Amino acid sequence: MQSNDDVQETHEVSCRKSHHPEKIKKDLTTRLNRVEGQIRGIKGMIEKDVYCDDIITQLSATQSALNSVAKILLEGHLKGCVVDRLNEGDDEVLDELIVTIQKLMKK
């Protein structure tokens, strides 16, 4: 969970916008809808006292699905936003990218 400072920092940084093709947006939305359904399923499993190992298996599948979304976004970020900013002479994007990758890796 992000702290209020992290959310504020993220909001300030994210004033820039990405430009994902509609096909990618649709794919990401579909994947996230699936994750949302998986989360609801996991909550139901907990309420029904399903065996812990089965819940953990579903949690692992959900985390994998989220990682797939992150990989797609990271690829688009690298090929689009990062390249564009480097071409504009904005080398700070590399420091930003390092922080982003560190956030992904600590999960």
Side-chain angles (χ1 to χ4, degrees):
M1 195 92 177
Q2 290 183 324
S3 71
N4 287 339
D5 290 340
D6 289 342
V7 171
Q8 180 64 30
E9 178 182 313
T10 301
H11 176 69
E12 288 171 6
V13 171
S14 67
C15 290
R16 295 184 294 264
K17 295 203 178 217
S18 59
H19 304 283
H20 302 288
E22 282 304 314
K23 182 179 178 183
I24 299 292
K25 282 187 198 181
K26 186 174 181 181
D27 179 48
L28 291 171
T29 300
T30 299
R31 289 171 183 269
L32 289 170
N33 286 339
R34 197 172 306 129
V35 168
E36 189 175 29
Q38 287 175 301
I39 295 294
R40 281 193 303 271
I42 292 166
K43 286 168 58 177
M45 292 171 79
I46 291 170
E47 290 168 359
K48 294 175 185 169
D49 295 320
V50 171
Y51 187 60
C52 297
D53 190 57
D54 295 335
I55 296 171
I56 291 167
T57 298
Q58 289 304 311
L59 285 168
S60 177
T62 303
Q63 186 62 56
S64 178
L66 282 172
N67 287 342
S68 292
V69 170
K71 287 177 196 175
I72 292 166
L73 286 170
L74 183 59
E75 180 181 352
H77 184 57
L78 287 168
K79 290 180 177 179
C81 303
V82 173
V83 169
D84 291 347
R85 287 179 58 192
L86 285 172
N87 287 338
E88 293 169 0
D90 183 358
D91 291 340
E92 287 181 23
V93 70
L94 296 176
D95 293 329
E96 178 185 289
L97 181 60
I98 290 167
V99 170
T100 299
I101 292 170
Q102 288 171 340
K103 287 177 185 176
L104 280 173
M105 292 179 73
K106 82 175 173 182
K107 293 183 169 63

